[in-house]
Amino acid sequence: MKEYSLYINGRFEKAALSREIINPSSGEAIARVSMADAGTVDYAIRSAREAYDKGPWRNFSLDKRRDLILELSEKLLGKARELAEVESLNSGKPIKETTFMDIPSSAQTFRHFAENLKFYLEPETIEIKSQAGRAKADLIHGGRGVVGLIVPWNYPLLIASWKMAQALSAGNTVVLKPSTSTPLSALELAEIVDELDFPKGVVNIITGKGDEAGKTICTNKYVDMVSFTGSNEVGKRIMGYASESIKKLIMELGGKSASIVLEDSDLDLAVNGSLCSIFLNQGQMCTATSRILVSDKIYDEFRDKFTQRAKSIKLGQAMDFQTQMGPLMSEAQRRRVLSFIDKARREGLKILCGGKIPESPALKKGFFFEPTVIEGKGAESFLFREEIFGPVAVIDKFSGIGEAVSLANDSDFALAGCIWSKDKDKAANLAKDICAGTVWINTYGMFFNELSYGGFKQSGFGKELGKQGFLEYTSLKNVITDQTQNGKSLVNYWYGF
Ligand code: NAD
């Protein structure tokens, strides 16, 4: 069983405490990782601080910074197969997903921000003429300093790569903390970083408990910014911790997104797309459209087809390329999903399929759960409001576009949404009325490094990716030079003689 250490100040360090990492497909231990205590996290933060304030990193030319991050992307691709296996073994995500999505997308994100950092950081000059005089302002984007990156378990390497690619390309130093349950791909990333010429302390990757290691990152005054993706419960706590030293925050939190299926949709496409949008990664996606709202004109047909197709999804071991749905990430996550199903039963909701642990002996040892479709009973139901984070779709009907919009927007969250219609103009108009950071029309789950992503309301604030996301990791400085004609600047008139 492989043992992983912490990566601090350019060295691998073993902690006094360690933890077993479980394969959710089998329930068996697959690795052991060090668990950093608060003092060790402080040391990682001090290393990142020193590297930012005094190390050679800040004097790297932008070309040198770009080349190093490009090398990281290449090395990551070179290890793609191994990384896909580690990710699937650790998270239960089917190997087809990690091979074709998570790992290549992670490498591509490093590449994108390396290749574009010069363009994104391009300083701007503004000539200003005002009553106060004339000035030239140079707008300069610098790094923010030490950035704490705290990531969840559902896309372990991908979300870590989003954050790290942007933070490093912007010139920061980082302390990355993966989830306690799925740290292996981030620790593999540490091994890749170690092979490259990053100055010591620029990249630190530590594993540890959220309420100790994570909390220390958020309370330590030498951390300038925290980029967090995770639950609302933890997000609220982090906002409290970070307020002590007024840190810049990015908060990517939960969702309860809606899919709207219009009567003129291509039904097969809408069914296939809706299956992807709730059952990919076992429904453990912040953008999962767990509320499927269907026009009453086609409701019965959609419901029957969708349920039939959900029943035929192939559950299996994450490492099997034929598997369409793997296990949930942990036993605790499965208990949580089961508690929602129990509540749905108590509320008298109709479970159209699934709602239980599969009986197949081949799946007995892992944390599997059947794809589940439940018929909703209006917006008041808890199923309509609460994020389940599992393979549970609730479907409901609407009787006109107005009702579809008000149902879709009737949520504390506003992360994403889907619209299914053959009429692209109608769909585009409808998209304007949906309160969500991303709306997909006739597709689901397309993320692009060029496009900023992030939600509204209780789905959080701040953006990731794209130019806007990248600039979150920078600080904007105005350098203002007086240009008043005849050389006499305004201040001269106040105290000049
Ligand atoms: P979580 O909030 O439990 O944990 C996220 C991270 O925070 C982990 O690394 C954890 O160790 C750390 N943490 C826990 N307690 C902490 C504390 N007190 N201080 C600092 N850090 C702490 O989330 P999770 O269960 O890993 O992930 C699932 C959640 O993430 C869901 O709610 C999902 O919607 C959300 N999510 C959101 C997005 C998005 O882009 N909006 C993407 C993926 C996941």
Side-chain angles (χ1 to χ4, degrees):
M1 195 157 73
K2 186 164 174 179
E3 288 204 20
Y4 291 85
S5 300
L6 314 167
Y7 186 63
I8 303 178
N9 208 23
R11 288 178 47 166
F12 288 98
E13 308 257 350
K14 222 172 173 172
L17 290 178
S18 64
R19 182 185 206 267
E20 271 186 352
I21 299 301
I22 304 298
N23 172 1
S25 292
S26 66
E28 284 159 7
I30 46 171
R32 182 165 274 284
V33 301
S34 277
M35 295 291 280
D37 59 15
T40 311
V41 180
D42 270 330
Y43 166 50
I45 294 168
R46 265 186 283 122
S47 307
R49 186 79 260 166
E50 181 98 359
Y52 186 78
D53 292 340
K54 301 185 188 139
W57 179 237
R58 61 185 304 125
N59 297 322
F60 267 38
S61 68
L62 293 185
D63 284 343
K64 199 168 167 191
R65 194 193 293 171
R66 176 200 60 206
D67 291 347
L68 195 50
I69 299 169
L70 281 177
E71 253 190 278
L72 172 52
S73 166
E74 284 305 310
K75 287 235 172 217
L76 210 151
L77 268 188
K79 226 179 155 182
R81 196 175 166 162
E82 207 177 321
L83 282 167
E85 286 176 7
V86 164
E87 196 76 316
S88 289
L89 273 174
N90 190 179
S91 68
K93 200 188 282 278
I95 186 85
K96 204 164 144 191
E97 284 180 39
T98 56
T99 301
F100 296 111
M101 284 168 17
D102 296 57
I103 312 302
S105 302
S106 300
Q108 186 51 37
T109 300
F110 279 107
R111 168 164 289 281
H112 173 84
F113 286 102
E115 283 176 344
N116 285 285
L117 66 89
K118 273 170 109 171
F119 164 60
Y120 288 160
L121 290 170
E122 190 78 44
E124 195 186 339
T125 300
I126 300 181
E127 301 283 346
I128 300 162
K129 274 188 207 163
S130 79
Q131 276 184 325
R134 283 175 55 176
K136 174 174 85 83
D138 291 308
L139 280 53
I140 299 167
H141 295 284
R144 281 199 167 261
V146 177
V147 185
L149 312 174
I150 303 183
V151 300
W153 48 257
N154 63 332
Y155 285 88
L157 186 67
L158 187 63
I159 295 179
S161 299
W162 283 10
K163 293 184 190 298
M164 201 196 279
Q166 294 173 101
L168 292 178
S169 301
N172 301 289
T173 60
V174 302
V175 179
L176 165 68
K177 195 201 90 58
S179 161
T180 328
S181 318
T182 55
L184 300 189
S185 52
L187 293 167
E188 293 284 338
L189 183 63
E191 292 179 13
I192 294 175
V193 168
D194 191 56
E195 291 169 16
L196 298 166
D197 288 333
F198 281 98
K200 61 182 183 147
V202 171
V203 178
N204 302 277
I205 301 181
I206 51 127
T207 38
K209 279 166 57 188
D211 56 7
E212 184 169 12
K215 183 176 176 184
T216 306
I217 292 174
C218 302
T219 49
N220 189 304
K221 70 173 180 177
Y222 296 112
V223 173
D224 301 285
M225 167 177 175
V226 172
S227 176
F228 171 74
T229 300
S231 63
N232 286 54
E233 193 194 331
V234 173
K236 283 180 204 165
R237 259 182 261 161
I238 287 182
M239 287 175 73
Y241 304 149
S243 67
E244 282 174 38
S245 51
I246 320 283
K247 290 188 203 315
K248 153 88 180 174
L249 292 175
I250 294 180
M251 289 275 128
E252 297 290 351
L253 307 175
K256 190 76 195 176
S257 299
S259 214
I260 299 178
V261 185
L262 297 181
E263 62 184 280
D264 64 358
S265 62
D266 170 337
L267 200 66
D268 285 333
L269 176 67
V271 166
N272 284 335
S274 303
L275 290 166
C276 282
S277 68
I278 181 62
F279 297 125
L280 265 181
N281 199 19
Q282 297 70 255
Q284 302 166 137
M285 299 178 287
C286 49
T287 52
T289 61
S290 46
R291 296 181 293 150
I292 303 178
L293 309 172
V294 186
S295 161
D296 54 2
K297 309 255 180 355
I298 54 163
Y299 179 79
D300 289 353
E301 195 184 354
F302 179 93
R303 178 199 54 205
D304 295 347
K305 264 196 173 181
F306 182 75
T307 308
Q308 219 34 54
R309 295 287 308 283
K311 278 187 200 166
S312 69
I313 289 175
K314 189 175 178 322
L315 265 79
Q317 301 291 318
M319 296 303 279
D320 183 344
F321 266 95
Q322 303 308 315
T323 292
Q324 293 177 317
M325 232 180 83
L328 300 187
M329 196 280 303
S330 65
E331 181 57 56
Q333 189 61 15
R334 185 163 70 171
R335 273 200 303 273
R336 179 183 150 83
V337 173
L338 265 172
S339 73
F340 277 99
I341 304 295
D342 288 346
K343 216 165 151 190
R345 284 209 172 90
R346 285 201 300 276
E347 268 197 14
L349 297 178
K350 195 165 171 194
I351 298 175
L352 301 173
C353 73
K356 55 184 175 46
I357 294 170
E359 277 151 23
S360 156
L363 305 176
K364 267 277 156 294
K365 279 170 71 208
F367 311 133
F368 294 90
F369 198 79
E370 289 184 357
T372 301
V373 183
I374 301 182
E375 205 158 28
K377 265 198 192 159
E380 293 321 308
S381 164
F382 75 98
L383 262 194
F384 199 85
R385 317 219 140 258
E386 290 177 41
E387 184 183 47
I388 301 175
F389 222 58
V392 182
V394 54
I395 60 171
D396 220 327
K397 60 178 104 167
F398 63 82
S399 67
I401 287 208
E403 195 186 3
V405 170
S406 59
L407 280 171
N409 290 346
D410 187 3
S411 172
D412 289 338
F413 299 105
L415 189 57
C418 288
I419 297 170
W420 304 93
S421 166
K422 284 187 197 148
D423 183 339
K424 289 194 177 139
D425 291 337
K426 195 198 313 177
N429 269 331
L430 174 54
K432 288 185 201 150
D433 291 333
I434 302 300
C435 182
T438 299
V439 180
W440 287 288
I441 296 176
N442 294 332
T443 187
Y444 170 75
M446 291 176 103
F447 291 94
F448 298 102
N449 292 313
E450 294 79 359
L451 288 186
S452 298
Y453 158 80
F456 315 135
K457 296 197 209 169
Q458 291 187 29
S459 290
F461 52 85
K463 296 285 180 191
E464 296 275 18
L465 306 183
K467 183 171 182 183
Q468 206 181 336
F470 174 83
L471 292 179
E472 299 265 6
Y473 291 84
T474 65
S475 52
L476 175 65
K477 188 192 302 186
N478 296 330
V479 178
I480 302 167
T481 311
D482 187 88
Q483 305 276 68
T484 315
Q485 248 168 6
N486 76 27
K488 289 212 167 188
S489 78
L490 180 67
V491 289
N492 228 7
Y493 292 104
W494 292 97
Y495 295 111
F497 297 99

mmCIF file of all heavy atoms in Angstrom, residues 214-247:
data_model
loop_
_atom_site.group_PDB
_atom_site.id
_atom_site.type_symbol
_atom_site.label_atom_id
_atom_site.label_comp_id
_atom_site.label_asym_id
_atom_site.label_seq_id
_atom_site.Cartn_x
_atom_site.Cartn_y
_atom_site.Cartn_z
ATOM 1 N N GLY A 214 -7.679 22.762 7.230
ATOM 2 C CA GLY A 214 -8.425 23.735 6.418
ATOM 3 C C GLY A 214 -8.639 25.025 7.195
ATOM 4 O O GLY A 214 -8.436 26.131 6.681
ATOM 5 N N LYS A 215 -9.022 24.859 8.461
ATOM 6 C CA LYS A 215 -9.282 26.044 9.296
ATOM 7 C C LYS A 215 -8.020 26.898 9.441
ATOM 8 O O LYS A 215 -8.074 28.130 9.395
ATOM 9 C CB LYS A 215 -9.784 25.588 10.676
ATOM 10 C CG LYS A 215 -10.147 26.725 11.585
ATOM 11 C CD LYS A 215 -10.722 26.219 12.884
ATOM 12 C CE LYS A 215 -10.977 27.401 13.804
ATOM 13 N NZ LYS A 215 -11.456 26.994 15.111
ATOM 14 N N THR A 216 -6.883 26.242 9.605
ATOM 15 C CA THR A 216 -5.630 26.996 9.777
ATOM 16 C C THR A 216 -5.323 27.842 8.542
ATOM 17 O O THR A 216 -4.883 28.987 8.656
ATOM 18 C CB THR A 216 -4.467 26.021 10.081
ATOM 19 O OG1 THR A 216 -4.836 25.234 11.196
ATOM 20 C CG2 THR A 216 -3.169 26.746 10.382
ATOM 21 N N ILE A 217 -5.584 27.271 7.363
ATOM 22 C CA ILE A 217 -5.357 28.049 6.127
ATOM 23 C C ILE A 217 -6.233 29.304 6.145
ATOM 24 O O ILE A 217 -5.800 30.398 5.767
ATOM 25 C CB ILE A 217 -5.671 27.194 4.872
ATOM 26 C CG1 ILE A 217 -4.649 26.069 4.729
ATOM 27 C CG2 ILE A 217 -5.718 28.051 3.602
ATOM 28 C CD1 ILE A 217 -4.942 25.074 3.616
ATOM 29 N N CYS A 218 -7.454 29.144 6.627
ATOM 30 C CA CYS A 218 -8.416 30.262 6.540
ATOM 31 C C CYS A 218 -8.227 31.298 7.644
ATOM 32 O O CYS A 218 -8.696 32.429 7.515
ATOM 33 C CB CYS A 218 -9.842 29.737 6.595
ATOM 34 S SG CYS A 218 -10.172 28.566 5.289
ATOM 35 N N THR A 219 -7.587 30.921 8.747
ATOM 36 C CA THR A 219 -7.428 31.880 9.846
ATOM 37 C C THR A 219 -6.048 32.555 9.822
ATOM 38 O O THR A 219 -5.886 33.634 10.386
ATOM 39 C CB THR A 219 -7.608 31.186 11.227
ATOM 40 O OG1 THR A 219 -6.809 30.016 11.240
ATOM 41 C CG2 THR A 219 -9.060 30.810 11.470
ATOM 42 N N ASN A 220 -5.088 31.919 9.194
ATOM 43 C CA ASN A 220 -3.717 32.444 9.248
ATOM 44 C C ASN A 220 -3.598 33.770 8.484
ATOM 45 O O ASN A 220 -3.979 33.853 7.308
ATOM 46 C CB ASN A 220 -2.773 31.399 8.627
ATOM 47 C CG ASN A 220 -1.333 31.742 8.834
ATOM 48 O OD1 ASN A 220 -0.885 32.819 8.453
ATOM 49 N ND2 ASN A 220 -0.587 30.832 9.445
ATOM 50 N N LYS A 221 -3.069 34.781 9.141
ATOM 51 C CA LYS A 221 -3.072 36.109 8.512
ATOM 52 C C LYS A 221 -2.078 36.223 7.360
ATOM 53 O O LYS A 221 -2.138 37.167 6.579
ATOM 54 C CB LYS A 221 -2.815 37.204 9.543
ATOM 55 C CG LYS A 221 -1.425 37.253 10.099
ATOM 56 C CD LYS A 221 -1.272 38.486 10.971
ATOM 57 C CE LYS A 221 0.137 38.527 11.523
ATOM 58 N NZ LYS A 221 0.418 39.686 12.322
ATOM 59 N N TYR A 222 -1.171 35.256 7.224
ATOM 60 C CA TYR A 222 -0.218 35.314 6.119
ATOM 61 C C TYR A 222 -0.776 34.734 4.818
ATOM 62 O O TYR A 222 -0.094 34.704 3.799
ATOM 63 C CB TYR A 222 1.101 34.625 6.513
ATOM 64 C CG TYR A 222 1.760 35.361 7.647
ATOM 65 C CD1 TYR A 222 1.872 34.797 8.919
ATOM 66 C CD2 TYR A 222 2.228 36.661 7.457
ATOM 67 C CE1 TYR A 222 2.444 35.500 9.964
ATOM 68 C CE2 TYR A 222 2.793 37.371 8.506
ATOM 69 C CZ TYR A 222 2.901 36.788 9.751
ATOM 70 O OH TYR A 222 3.452 37.494 10.780
ATOM 71 N N VAL A 223 -2.010 34.252 4.894
ATOM 72 C CA VAL A 223 -2.681 33.816 3.658
ATOM 73 C C VAL A 223 -3.520 35.003 3.175
ATOM 74 O O VAL A 223 -4.307 35.565 3.929
ATOM 75 C CB VAL A 223 -3.590 32.592 3.927
ATOM 76 C CG1 VAL A 223 -4.413 32.227 2.701
ATOM 77 C CG2 VAL A 223 -2.748 31.398 4.392
ATOM 78 N N ASP A 224 -3.331 35.396 1.899
ATOM 79 C CA ASP A 224 -4.009 36.586 1.392
ATOM 80 C C ASP A 224 -5.376 36.285 0.803
ATOM 81 O O ASP A 224 -6.239 37.148 0.746
ATOM 82 C CB ASP A 224 -3.156 37.244 0.294
ATOM 83 C CG ASP A 224 -1.792 37.625 0.827
ATOM 84 O OD1 ASP A 224 -1.716 38.614 1.562
ATOM 85 O OD2 ASP A 224 -0.809 36.904 0.547
ATOM 86 N N MET A 225 -5.530 35.066 0.343
ATOM 87 C CA MET A 225 -6.776 34.732 -0.377
ATOM 88 C C MET A 225 -7.080 33.256 -0.183
ATOM 89 O O MET A 225 -6.154 32.441 -0.114
ATOM 90 C CB MET A 225 -6.565 35.035 -1.864
ATOM 91 C CG MET A 225 -7.612 34.472 -2.778
ATOM 92 S SD MET A 225 -7.301 34.961 -4.499
ATOM 93 C CE MET A 225 -8.595 34.035 -5.312
ATOM 94 N N VAL A 226 -8.367 32.924 -0.094
ATOM 95 C CA VAL A 226 -8.758 31.518 -0.057
ATOM 96 C C VAL A 226 -9.737 31.265 -1.197
ATOM 97 O O VAL A 226 -10.724 31.986 -1.350
ATOM 98 C CB VAL A 226 -9.415 31.137 1.289
ATOM 99 C CG1 VAL A 226 -9.991 29.720 1.222
ATOM 100 C CG2 VAL A 226 -8.408 31.231 2.436
ATOM 101 N N SER A 227 -9.428 30.274 -2.002
ATOM 102 C CA SER A 227 -10.349 29.857 -3.053
ATOM 103 C C SER A 227 -10.919 28.519 -2.607
ATOM 104 O O SER A 227 -10.203 27.524 -2.504
ATOM 105 C CB SER A 227 -9.592 29.725 -4.375
ATOM 106 O OG SER A 227 -10.461 29.231 -5.349
ATOM 107 N N PHE A 228 -12.215 28.521 -2.336
ATOM 108 C CA PHE A 228 -12.857 27.343 -1.742
ATOM 109 C C PHE A 228 -13.932 26.796 -2.663
ATOM 110 O O PHE A 228 -14.739 27.554 -3.204
ATOM 111 C CB PHE A 228 -13.494 27.735 -0.399
ATOM 112 C CG PHE A 228 -14.364 26.660 0.203
ATOM 113 C CD1 PHE A 228 -13.795 25.533 0.783
ATOM 114 C CD2 PHE A 228 -15.750 26.765 0.189
ATOM 115 C CE1 PHE A 228 -14.592 24.529 1.334
ATOM 116 C CE2 PHE A 228 -16.558 25.769 0.735
ATOM 117 C CZ PHE A 228 -15.979 24.654 1.312
ATOM 118 N N THR A 229 -13.947 25.498 -2.832
ATOM 119 C CA THR A 229 -15.089 24.822 -3.461
ATOM 120 C C THR A 229 -15.540 23.736 -2.505
ATOM 121 O O THR A 229 -14.729 22.910 -2.068
ATOM 122 C CB THR A 229 -14.693 24.208 -4.822
ATOM 123 O OG1 THR A 229 -14.244 25.258 -5.678
ATOM 124 C CG2 THR A 229 -15.879 23.533 -5.487
ATOM 125 N N GLY A 230 -16.822 23.760 -2.181
ATOM 126 C CA GLY A 230 -17.326 22.767 -1.242
ATOM 127 C C GLY A 230 -18.745 23.094 -0.818
ATOM 128 O O GLY A 230 -19.472 23.814 -1.512
ATOM 129 N N SER A 231 -19.097 22.584 0.346
ATOM 130 C CA SER A 231 -20.485 22.696 0.807
ATOM 131 C C SER A 231 -20.765 24.084 1.396
ATOM 132 O O SER A 231 -19.855 24.793 1.825
ATOM 133 C CB SER A 231 -20.736 21.628 1.877
ATOM 134 O OG SER A 231 -19.900 21.895 2.983
ATOM 135 N N ASN A 232 -22.049 24.401 1.473
ATOM 136 C CA ASN A 232 -22.442 25.687 2.055
ATOM 137 C C ASN A 232 -22.135 25.748 3.544
ATOM 138 O O ASN A 232 -21.745 26.789 4.066
ATOM 139 C CB ASN A 232 -23.938 25.919 1.831
ATOM 140 C CG ASN A 232 -24.190 26.281 0.394
ATOM 141 O OD1 ASN A 232 -23.786 25.559 -0.495
ATOM 142 N ND2 ASN A 232 -24.798 27.406 0.156
ATOM 143 N N GLU A 233 -22.304 24.593 4.191
ATOM 144 C CA GLU A 233 -22.058 24.542 5.633
ATOM 145 C C GLU A 233 -20.607 24.956 5.935
ATOM 146 O O GLU A 233 -20.358 25.830 6.767
ATOM 147 C CB GLU A 233 -22.308 23.095 6.063
ATOM 148 C CG GLU A 233 -22.408 22.855 7.526
ATOM 149 C CD GLU A 233 -22.312 21.356 7.779
ATOM 150 O OE1 GLU A 233 -22.715 20.553 6.916
ATOM 151 O OE2 GLU A 233 -21.785 21.010 8.857
ATOM 152 N N VAL A 234 -19.666 24.352 5.222
ATOM 153 C CA VAL A 234 -18.246 24.681 5.443
ATOM 154 C C VAL A 234 -17.944 26.084 4.898
ATOM 155 O O VAL A 234 -17.205 26.852 5.510
ATOM 156 C CB VAL A 234 -17.322 23.603 4.818
ATOM 157 C CG1 VAL A 234 -15.864 24.029 4.883
ATOM 158 C CG2 VAL A 234 -17.517 22.273 5.532
ATOM 159 N N GLY A 235 -18.558 26.428 3.765
ATOM 160 C CA GLY A 235 -18.349 27.760 3.182
ATOM 161 C C GLY A 235 -18.673 28.870 4.177
ATOM 162 O O GLY A 235 -17.922 29.842 4.297
ATOM 163 N N LYS A 236 -19.784 28.698 4.899
ATOM 164 C CA LYS A 236 -20.167 29.733 5.881
ATOM 165 C C LYS A 236 -19.107 29.847 6.963
ATOM 166 O O LYS A 236 -18.751 30.938 7.392
ATOM 167 C CB LYS A 236 -21.507 29.358 6.542
ATOM 168 C CG LYS A 236 -22.698 29.617 5.657
ATOM 169 C CD LYS A 236 -23.977 29.224 6.393
ATOM 170 C CE LYS A 236 -25.056 28.915 5.383
ATOM 171 N NZ LYS A 236 -26.185 28.202 5.961
ATOM 172 N N ARG A 237 -18.615 28.685 7.401
ATOM 173 C CA ARG A 237 -17.569 28.709 8.446
ATOM 174 C C ARG A 237 -16.321 29.429 7.925
ATOM 175 O O ARG A 237 -15.720 30.242 8.619
ATOM 176 C CB ARG A 237 -17.207 27.285 8.858
ATOM 177 C CG ARG A 237 -17.886 26.908 10.177
ATOM 178 C CD ARG A 237 -17.486 25.527 10.584
ATOM 179 N NE ARG A 237 -18.531 24.606 10.199
ATOM 180 C CZ ARG A 237 -18.386 23.308 10.071
ATOM 181 N NH1 ARG A 237 -17.218 22.752 10.267
ATOM 182 N NH2 ARG A 237 -19.394 22.549 9.761
ATOM 183 N N ILE A 238 -15.950 29.124 6.687
ATOM 184 C CA ILE A 238 -14.741 29.727 6.110
ATOM 185 C C ILE A 238 -14.898 31.245 6.009
ATOM 186 O O ILE A 238 -13.957 31.998 6.288
ATOM 187 C CB ILE A 238 -14.432 29.081 4.745
ATOM 188 C CG1 ILE A 238 -13.901 27.666 4.993
ATOM 189 C CG2 ILE A 238 -13.443 29.913 3.931
ATOM 190 C CD1 ILE A 238 -13.499 26.891 3.781
ATOM 191 N N MET A 239 -16.084 31.706 5.663
ATOM 192 C CA MET A 239 -16.292 33.162 5.585
ATOM 193 C C MET A 239 -16.069 33.803 6.961
ATOM 194 O O MET A 239 -15.536 34.898 7.069
ATOM 195 C CB MET A 239 -17.687 33.485 5.054
ATOM 196 C CG MET A 239 -17.792 33.203 3.569
ATOM 197 S SD MET A 239 -19.438 33.431 2.905
ATOM 198 C CE MET A 239 -19.537 35.209 2.927
ATOM 199 N N GLY A 240 -16.487 33.083 7.999
ATOM 200 C CA GLY A 240 -16.262 33.578 9.364
ATOM 201 C C GLY A 240 -14.769 33.642 9.678
ATOM 202 O O GLY A 240 -14.254 34.666 10.115
ATOM 203 N N TYR A 241 -14.058 32.534 9.409
ATOM 204 C CA TYR A 241 -12.610 32.494 9.720
ATOM 205 C C TYR A 241 -11.883 33.605 8.961
ATOM 206 O O TYR A 241 -11.014 34.284 9.494
ATOM 207 C CB TYR A 241 -11.950 31.193 9.261
ATOM 208 C CG TYR A 241 -12.517 29.890 9.769
ATOM 209 C CD1 TYR A 241 -12.455 28.740 8.963
ATOM 210 C CD2 TYR A 241 -13.071 29.765 11.038
ATOM 211 C CE1 TYR A 241 -12.942 27.521 9.404
ATOM 212 C CE2 TYR A 241 -13.573 28.535 11.470
ATOM 213 C CZ TYR A 241 -13.507 27.435 10.646
ATOM 214 O OH TYR A 241 -13.988 26.235 11.068
ATOM 215 N N ALA A 242 -12.230 33.721 7.663
ATOM 216 C CA ALA A 242 -11.468 34.627 6.786
ATOM 217 C C ALA A 242 -11.722 36.084 7.138
ATOM 218 O O ALA A 242 -10.915 36.950 6.797
ATOM 219 C CB ALA A 242 -11.836 34.363 5.333
ATOM 220 N N SER A 243 -12.835 36.344 7.814
ATOM 221 C CA SER A 243 -13.167 37.744 8.128
ATOM 222 C C SER A 243 -12.166 38.320 9.135
ATOM 223 O O SER A 243 -11.938 39.514 9.169
ATOM 224 C CB SER A 243 -14.592 37.859 8.658
ATOM 225 O OG SER A 243 -14.679 37.234 9.916
ATOM 226 N N GLU A 244 -11.541 37.441 9.927
ATOM 227 C CA GLU A 244 -10.593 37.942 10.940
ATOM 228 C C GLU A 244 -9.463 38.734 10.302
ATOM 229 O O GLU A 244 -9.020 39.739 10.843
ATOM 230 C CB GLU A 244 -9.985 36.770 11.720
ATOM 231 C CG GLU A 244 -10.930 36.229 12.769
ATOM 232 C CD GLU A 244 -10.365 34.973 13.421
ATOM 233 O OE1 GLU A 244 -9.147 34.902 13.656
ATOM 234 O OE2 GLU A 244 -11.180 34.059 13.676
ATOM 235 N N SER A 245 -8.961 38.263 9.163
ATOM 236 C CA SER A 245 -7.875 39.016 8.523
ATOM 237 C C SER A 245 -8.299 39.548 7.147
ATOM 238 O O SER A 245 -7.465 39.817 6.300
ATOM 239 C CB SER A 245 -6.605 38.164 8.427
ATOM 240 O OG SER A 245 -6.898 36.925 7.839
ATOM 241 N N ILE A 246 -9.603 39.688 6.940
ATOM 242 C CA ILE A 246 -10.171 40.293 5.712
ATOM 243 C C ILE A 246 -9.526 39.696 4.452
ATOM 244 O O ILE A 246 -8.876 40.390 3.677
ATOM 245 C CB ILE A 246 -10.021 41.842 5.704
ATOM 246 C CG1 ILE A 246 -10.288 42.441 7.069
ATOM 247 C CG2 ILE A 246 -10.892 42.474 4.636
ATOM 248 C CD1 ILE A 246 -11.726 42.539 7.476
ATOM 249 N N LYS A 247 -9.720 38.404 4.284
ATOM 250 C CA LYS A 247 -9.117 37.752 3.110
ATOM 251 C C LYS A 247 -10.035 37.867 1.907
ATOM 252 O O LYS A 247 -11.258 37.837 2.052
ATOM 253 C CB LYS A 247 -8.916 36.260 3.383
ATOM 254 C CG LYS A 247 -7.848 35.973 4.385
ATOM 255 C CD LYS A 247 -7.595 34.479 4.449
ATOM 256 C CE LYS A 247 -6.982 34.073 5.769
ATOM 257 N NZ LYS A 247 -5.900 34.915 6.221
#
